[in-house]
Amino acid sequence: QVQLVESGGDLAQAGGSLRLSCAASGSSRGIVAMGWYRQPPGKQRELCARITSGGSTNYADSVKGRFTISRDNAKNTVYLQMNSLKPEDTAVYYCNADILTPGGIRRNYWGQGTQVTVSS
């Protein structure tokens, strides 16, 4: 069983920065891709950023130029560096991963979420 454990959520001021981390643990053949989604209050969950095992990235238009996703393959960890934070970035941020099970099946996993609150 794979677990994703997030950390780094906090209260920040507008214009400030936060760094989220997500570590994957458990048995697998490898991690195909990892990403960060967020769910603002009263809204649907949306993609923020995603990175593949090869390092290819994609970002939501709302975070391009402000957020940077990166990963440490040796540690099975993905990071989200969030700069120039805005109040509209306030949300629960969820880590997501596509992982190959020991049997070679690709499965999708979610973390428990971490709260990011940006004050104006």
Side-chain angles (χ1 to χ4, degrees):
Q1 184 70 15
V2 171
Q3 286 188 325
L4 302 179
V5 179
E6 301 123 328
S7 61
D10 205 344
L11 173 65
Q13 290 190 335
S17 298
L18 285 174
R19 188 191 194 209
L20 305 182
S21 300
C22 172
S25 62
S27 298
S28 75
R29 281 193 181 182
I31 298 175
V32 177
M34 298 184 78
W36 288 96
Y37 288 70
R38 67 185 183 185
Q39 186 164 15
K43 296 184 179 180
Q44 290 189 333
R45 194 174 298 186
E46 60 184 14
L47 173 69
C48 275
R50 190 171 182 269
I51 185 168
T52 68
S53 58
S56 297
T57 59
N58 64 291
Y59 295 90
D61 288 342
S62 58
V63 306
K64 279 181 182 177
R66 300 188 299 121
F67 291 9
T68 301
I69 190 169
S70 61
R71 63 186 286 177
D72 184 332
N73 290 334
K75 295 182 179 179
N76 288 335
T77 299
V78 65
Y79 306 96
L80 187 67
Q81 179 66 43
M82 305 186 293
N83 298 329
S84 302
L85 284 165
K86 303 176 181 180
E88 50 263 44
D89 294 321
T90 295
V92 179
Y93 284 71
Y94 295 91
C95 180
N96 179 269
D98 283 334
I99 295 176
L100 290 175
T101 67
I105 299 172
R106 182 168 171 168
R107 288 189 173 164
N108 190 260
Y109 295 88
W110 290 93
Q112 80 285 355
T114 186
Q115 178 69 46
V116 171
T117 302
V118 183
S119 62
S120 57

